[in-house]
Amino acid sequence: MQDETILEINDLNICFEMREGTVNAVNGVTFSVKPGEVLGIVGESGSGKSLSARSIMNLLPRNATVTNGSVKFRKNDGEVVDILAEKRESRKMRELRGGHIGMIFQEPMTALSPVHSIGKQIMTTLNLHTDLSKKAQVERAADLLAMVQMPKPMEMLKKYPHQLSGGMRQRAMIAMALSCNPSLLLADEPTTALDVTTEAQILDLIMSLQDELNMAVIFITHNFGVVAEIADRVSVMYLGNAVETASVDDIFYHPKHPYTRALLQSIPRLDGQKRRRLQTIEGMVPDPFNLPTGCVFHTRCAEKMAGKCTSQIPELTHFENDQMARCHLHQA
Amino acid sequence: MAGYIAHRLLWSIPTLIVITIATFVIIQLPPGDYVTAYIAELVETGEVIDAETAAHIRHEFGLDRPMYEQFLTWIGGILLHGDFGLSLDWKLPVSELIWDRIGLTLMISVLSLLMTWAIAIPIGVYSATRQYSFFDHLFTVLGFLGRGIPDFLLALVLMWMGFLYFNFHVGGLFSPEFENAPWSIAKFVDLLSHLWVPVLVLSTGGAAGLLRIMRANMLEELGKPYVETAYAQGLSERQVVWRYPVRVALNPFISTVGWALPALISGDVITAVVLNLPTTGPLLLRSLQNQDMYLAGGFILILSVFTIIGTLLSDILLVLTDPRIRHS
Ligand SMILES: Nc1ncnc2c1ncn2[C@@H]1O[C@H](COP(=O)(O)OP(=O)(O)O)[C@@H](O)[C@H]1O
Ligand code: SF4
Ligand SMILES: [Mg+2]
């Protein structure tokens, strides 16, 4: 593991054995995160974003098999944990979850327990990872709610999720995830279910907290606009592959992978005179049971090279500026 | 909360009045009355009663008076003196006949309910968390067997096996020497040694059904996002399963606690007859056959009261356990 990273995912492969055949859901995902950095992961639905995030928590679905690769996390004290080598239920994993790595989810509606108050749920995390007394826990929980800008924190502690709006629930969720000062926050489409105004507020909140607490964030979204707003670096996923990873500027101004370019073109342009209709990428997303041979994107790629692209899986090319792309165009 | 309970208590008063009237009317509905049934019984043994004697008996029991008058006398006796009237069939005060039986019925039904839960909940939780494992399949098969075999058949088989292998008479709730003895520690121990058979018989069918419901509820709850959140907080599997989904999956059970009693009385009469249990079911059945109206009425009234209390209790429990109901 490199010295300056807090998280490294290397050549991660995850598959599901199903009655209908094998689904190769994640195929060689590789990326790393530095402390205090915001990594955006973009990709269409089903591209393996959530699975990659869950592998960091060692909380993959029980029918999932990791066939190759590693996930390594560096704790504050310098210890490196080889996450996938740990048992799902091991003490070390449970210490990491909620203690060193916080996670927030897409559905603020259903991601909180319906039968416990907000305060109780935050205190559950505090109870697991800190030695705070009951009284101190209550105070800490109220401070957290104030930190995520919820009004009247003391009263909010007693509220149940169904009594709160979607935005408020997501704030509570964030408070819970941050309760033990994690050094890494995983956010799996945390604003997808919210309306545009609330989404903007939550994004602002996450960004200001990230700045204030100086934690690393992995922000998953299928919205390139959101990525542009918050990420330092971006990883683009397609069919279980991280096809390109680069700084947010390089992704937007010097994309190396044809899929990234196609995605960028599909964003509606606010500045352009001729506002074209949202242009989607041509072709269908291939059937996950029947992935294309060679480069998985070749069925839709405008720059496909006959022969090479359909038969050989492209290697990951590393560029000097830390940009990475998985495409034959860049192979010698 | 207190307001809610008061509100519910208040509502149970009109419910009770309606039930009482309905009970009395229903008992009177079949053609004829106790005397008709009594005469028919005597005819079978060859005795004949002339119309004059019949009218005399009717008058003595007040059966010739209008129905509302009989009702008012009956309900007045209960409310003012706790007097449930006279069993025409047994020629004994109803109170003397029913309280013992209701006590035993309550005890058996509470024990069966606890047993049902003790079997169904852990197995249902296990089956859901280890879906498609060997034991999950095994419990599924056992569950279908338990559901499919009628209780009375299971009762017969158990009695037969007890008799065959242990030379042990399992019918009834007491050994003959304790049957009419006053309550003592020895009698209580004797009761316990008999009790397991009906409790087992009565809980298997229910447990088998409940197990499937528990498993299905749990599977649904375990797939919900809040379970993943709980894992992401750092809770262990056992903590996650028992603190969150089990609590939610239990709601349907809590809301049906109140029905356990009427179910035992109405649904399991056959088992009670087969096992010769001195519970309410067989006596109620007999009183209805004989149109022994005060006995039947007394039973139904008391059982209704228990049912209303049971439902009230389960509603209160539900409100306590599920905040979503509390606030709506
Ligand atoms: N529990 C599962 N069983 C079978 N296949 C799954 C399961 N979870 C995910 N997959 C497969 O993995 C693919 C990627 O899933 P996911 O990581 O959730 O995608 P994303 O978050 O990018 O939308 C899905 O399209 C699906 O084919
Ligand atoms: S490898 Fe070939 S098909 Fe794949 S993205 Fe590059 S050019 Fe297109
Ligand atoms: Mg997802």
Side-chain angles (χ1 to χ4, degrees):
Chain A
M1 192 166 177
Q2 285 174 306
D3 284 346
E4 70 274 25
T5 58
I6 180 172
L7 178 83
E8 266 182 37
I9 298 190
N10 218 321
D11 197 21
L12 182 66
N13 282 266
I14 300 169
C15 72
F16 295 91
E17 299 295 340
M18 314 272 285
R19 215 167 287 162
E20 304 89 329
T22 305
V23 180
N24 291 301
V26 173
N27 306 296
V29 164
T30 300
F31 60 73
S32 58
V33 184
K34 298 190 184 73
E37 173 183 68
V38 179
L39 174 74
I41 298 184
V42 254
E44 290 162 281
S45 167
S47 55
K49 305 181 298 290
S50 296
L51 286 175
S52 302
R54 284 178 188 186
S55 71
I56 300 169
M57 285 295 220
N58 200 342
L59 283 177
L60 289 169
R62 287 180 200 273
N63 56 339
T65 320
V66 176
T67 50
N68 193 22
S70 65
V71 175
K72 291 192 174 134
F73 176 78
R74 189 193 308 277
K75 295 192 341 193
N76 280 343
D77 60 11
E79 185 194 348
V80 174
V81 183
D82 185 351
I83 287 182
L84 295 180
E86 290 289 328
K87 285 216 168 62
R88 183 191 178 98
E89 277 281 284
S90 76
R91 181 182 292 267
K92 191 165 279 170
M93 267 329 300
R94 284 187 278 129
E95 182 199 318
L96 288 189
R97 292 184 201 126
H100 297 256
I101 309 177
M103 184 154 185
I104 55 182
F105 298 88
Q106 176 171 346
E107 280 295 332
M109 192 76 182
T110 50
L112 290 165
S113 163
V115 292
H116 298 93
S117 67
I118 301 297
K120 169 87 188 149
Q121 297 190 50
I122 295 176
M123 282 157 66
T124 299
T125 315
L126 291 173
N127 212 8
L128 285 169
H129 303 286
T130 67
D131 306 323
L132 296 180
S133 67
K134 191 93 190 162
K135 192 163 157 276
Q137 284 180 17
V138 176
E139 279 164 18
R140 168 80 179 141
D143 287 349
L144 283 160
L145 292 188
M147 185 180 83
V148 296
Q149 294 158 21
M150 285 174 87
K152 303 189 189 140
M154 268 306 181
E155 281 169 42
M156 282 292 172
L157 288 179
K158 298 191 199 86
K159 297 268 190 205
Y160 288 83
H162 69 270
Q163 296 172 297
L164 302 178
S165 68
M168 281 299 152
R169 277 181 213 154
Q170 203 56 296
R171 282 171 199 270
M173 184 91 220
I174 294 170
M176 201 160 109
L178 298 186
S179 57
C180 300
N181 294 320
S183 50
L184 175 64
L185 175 70
L186 307 176
D188 190 351
E189 310 214 22
T191 57
T192 306
L194 304 174
D195 64 78
V196 186
T197 323
T198 318
E199 170 170 40
Q201 290 168 354
I202 296 289
L203 285 178
D204 280 349
L205 176 68
I206 293 177
M207 289 324 291
S208 72
L209 289 173
Q210 187 270 334
D211 203 40
E212 190 181 324
L213 308 171
N214 194 32
M215 61 187 169
V217 175
I218 295 183
F219 196 101
I220 295 175
T221 173
H222 58 251
N223 185 339
F224 239 127
V226 170
V227 163
E229 208 170 310
I230 71 163
D232 300 319
R233 281 195 314 131
V234 181
S235 201
V236 180
M237 290 197 60
Y238 181 71
L239 277 184
N241 289 266
V243 292
E244 177 163 10
T245 306
S247 74
V248 69
D249 287 345
D250 287 337
I251 282 283
F252 278 92
Y253 299 111
H254 313 286
K256 303 270 194 211
H257 196 284
Y259 178 63
T260 314
R261 292 176 199 157
L263 269 186
L264 286 169
Q265 273 166 19
S266 73
I267 304 177
R269 298 183 64 91
L270 294 176
D271 52 342
Q273 321 298 87
K274 290 188 288 175
R275 272 199 65 189
R276 276 176 300 167
R277 258 188 70 237
L278 198 140
Q279 171 197 338
T280 46
I281 305 170
E282 249 170 68
M284 299 258 293
V285 180
D287 170 16
F289 291 105
N290 247 321
L291 288 184
T293 55
C295 169
V296 283
F297 188 52
H298 84 241
T299 52
R300 300 165 80 187
C301 180
E303 298 167 61
K304 172 176 98 176
M305 297 170 283
K308 208 175 185 181
C309 292
T310 52
S311 61
Q312 289 172 29
I313 298 178
E315 293 287 316
L316 199 57
T317 311
H318 294 260
F319 301 88
E320 284 112 61
N321 57 352
D322 239 1
Q323 194 161 2
M324 298 187 285
R326 203 182 264 282
C327 171
H328 285 303
L329 288 175
H330 306 290
Q331 302 257 280
Chain B
M1 191 67 203
Y4 173 80
I5 297 175
H7 175 85
R8 289 296 316 267
L9 273 176
L10 225 66
W11 261 108
S12 51
I13 295 172
T15 317
L16 266 177
I17 293 177
V18 171
I19 288 178
T20 322
I21 296 174
T23 306
F24 202 79
V25 170
I26 290 170
I27 296 167
Q28 303 269 21
L29 268 186
D33 53 23
Y34 165 70
V35 179
T36 330
Y38 180 57
I39 293 172
E41 207 173 283
L42 287 184
V43 167
E44 263 174 33
T45 60
E47 258 181 85
V48 184
I49 281 184
D50 56 52
E52 206 173 306
T53 322
H56 182 68
I57 300 177
R58 273 208 179 91
H59 181 72
E60 210 159 76
F61 288 140
L63 295 178
D64 52 351
R65 284 184 288 158
M67 203 207 275
Y68 73 90
E69 234 186 277
Q70 294 185 39
F71 175 74
L72 289 179
T73 317
W74 178 62
I75 202 73
I78 294 173
L79 287 180
L80 301 178
H81 316 290
D83 173 12
F84 284 82
L86 199 68
S87 160
L88 309 177
D89 194 19
W90 295 71
K91 313 283 186 298
L92 281 172
V94 168
S95 331
E96 260 177 49
L97 286 165
I98 59 179
W99 287 114
D100 262 9
R101 284 179 179 251
I102 283 180
L104 284 172
T105 305
L106 261 181
M107 180 164 90
I108 291 183
S109 85
V110 167
L111 284 178
S112 307
L113 187 72
L114 291 179
M115 184 75 152
T116 307
W117 286 29
I119 298 172
I121 293 172
I123 295 182
V125 170
Y126 176 89
S127 278
T129 48
R130 296 284 177 271
Q131 199 187 4
Y132 305 136
S133 66
F134 169 75
F135 280 105
D136 178 30
H137 287 300
L138 182 71
F139 288 132
T140 303
V141 173
L142 289 179
F144 278 120
L145 278 179
R147 195 100 190 102
I149 298 174
D151 282 354
F152 73 89
L153 193 66
L154 186 63
L156 281 176
V157 170
L158 274 181
M159 283 168 78
W160 177 70
M161 291 208 312
F163 191 70
L164 201 64
Y165 296 110
F166 305 107
N167 196 17
F168 173 62
H169 186 69
V170 290
L173 281 181
F174 302 102
S175 306
E177 63 267 35
F178 288 110
E179 193 103 35
N180 293 312
W183 279 103
S184 64
I185 294 189
K187 180 168 176 173
F188 186 66
V189 171
D190 181 62
L191 172 67
L192 289 184
S193 75
H194 283 79
L195 207 54
W196 66 271
V197 179
V199 167
L200 195 66
V201 168
L202 291 172
S203 48
T204 45
L210 214 64
L211 195 161
R212 300 307 296 170
I213 300 174
M214 189 68 195
R215 182 178 180 275
N217 285 355
M218 278 301 289
L219 281 176
E220 189 184 330
E221 289 303 321
L222 285 173
K224 293 206 172 145
Y226 72 83
V227 173
E228 198 178 17
T229 309
Y231 278 118
Q233 282 176 280
L235 291 162
S236 68
E237 181 179 1
R238 185 182 312 166
Q239 289 168 325
V240 170
V241 168
W242 287 96
R243 277 194 208 180
Y244 299 74
V246 169
R247 273 195 57 177
V248 183
L250 279 182
N251 282 353
F253 301 133
I254 295 175
S255 59
T256 52
V257 174
W259 304 343
L261 191 63
L264 186 84
I265 281 106
S266 59
D268 306 303
V269 177
I270 305 176
T271 311
V273 171
V274 168
L275 282 173
N276 188 23
L277 300 180
T279 49
T280 49
L283 194 63
L284 175 61
L285 183 67
R286 200 185 133 136
S287 67
L288 288 171
Q289 281 166 344
N290 291 337
Q291 301 207 24
D292 189 351
M293 52 188 248
Y294 294 127
L295 184 55
F299 263 139
I300 296 178
L301 186 63
I302 291 169
L303 296 176
S304 307
V305 172
F306 278 127
T307 308
I308 289 177
I309 295 173
T311 315
L312 183 66
L313 276 182
S314 55
D315 285 354
I316 292 172
L317 276 178
L318 204 58
V319 165
L320 285 178
T321 53
D322 196 331
R324 288 169 296 183
I325 299 171
R326 199 180 318 159
H327 298 117
S328 62

